[in-house]
Amino acid sequence: LCYTVHNIHCTFYAIQYTIYIVRFMLYSTQYTLYVLCYTVHSIHCTFYAIQYTIYIVRFMLYSTQYTLYVLCYTVHSIHCTFYAIQYTVYIAHFMLYSAQFTLYLWIV
């Protein structure tokens, strides 16, 4: 009878420890899945960060390109303005010389 009671007692302890071990394994599996999910999420966010960084760099390059275009067209416009002034002065000189020559012809 004592051995039977002792065996029943040990069996309940074995069942209790088995339940503890199963619960620990379940918690370990749950923790492992959390770690795996956070790892996948971190990788996903890293790819998004790289993608957005590439977008920002491309935007900065396009902005720089556009700024250089504006700068080039501004310089070209200033250059053309000076040429226009220079040719206007040439035309004015030509008109003055023509007027002077016309007056000379009238006088002579």
Side-chain angles (χ1 to χ4, degrees):
L1 182 65
C2 284
Y3 285 121
T4 303
V5 170
H6 182 70
N7 285 339
I8 292 171
H9 176 74
C10 288
T11 302
F12 281 118
Y13 266 116
I15 292 170
Q16 183 181 5
Y17 287 131
T18 302
I19 291 171
Y20 285 149
I21 290 170
V22 169
R23 286 178 62 195
F24 177 75
M25 288 173 62
L26 288 174
Y27 284 135
S28 297
T29 304
Q30 182 182 8
Y31 179 75
T32 303
L33 288 174
Y34 277 136
V35 170
L36 182 64
C37 286
Y38 285 126
T39 303
V40 170
H41 184 69
S42 296
I43 292 170
H44 176 76
C45 290
T46 302
F47 280 119
Y48 266 114
I50 291 170
Q51 182 181 7
Y52 288 133
T53 303
I54 290 170
Y55 285 149
I56 290 169
V57 169
R58 285 178 62 193
F59 176 76
M60 289 172 61
L61 289 174
Y62 285 137
S63 297
T64 304
Q65 183 182 9
Y66 178 74
T67 303
L68 288 174
Y69 279 137
V70 170
L71 182 63
C72 286
Y73 286 127
T74 303
V75 170
H76 184 69
S77 295
I78 293 170
H79 176 76
C80 289
T81 302
F82 281 119
Y83 266 115
I85 292 170
Q86 183 181 4
Y87 289 133
T88 303
V89 169
Y90 286 154
I91 291 170
H93 278 176
F94 177 75
M95 290 173 65
L96 287 174
Y97 286 136
S98 295
Q100 182 182 9
F101 183 69
T102 303
L103 285 174
Y104 175 75
L105 287 177
W106 282 353
I107 294 172
V108 175

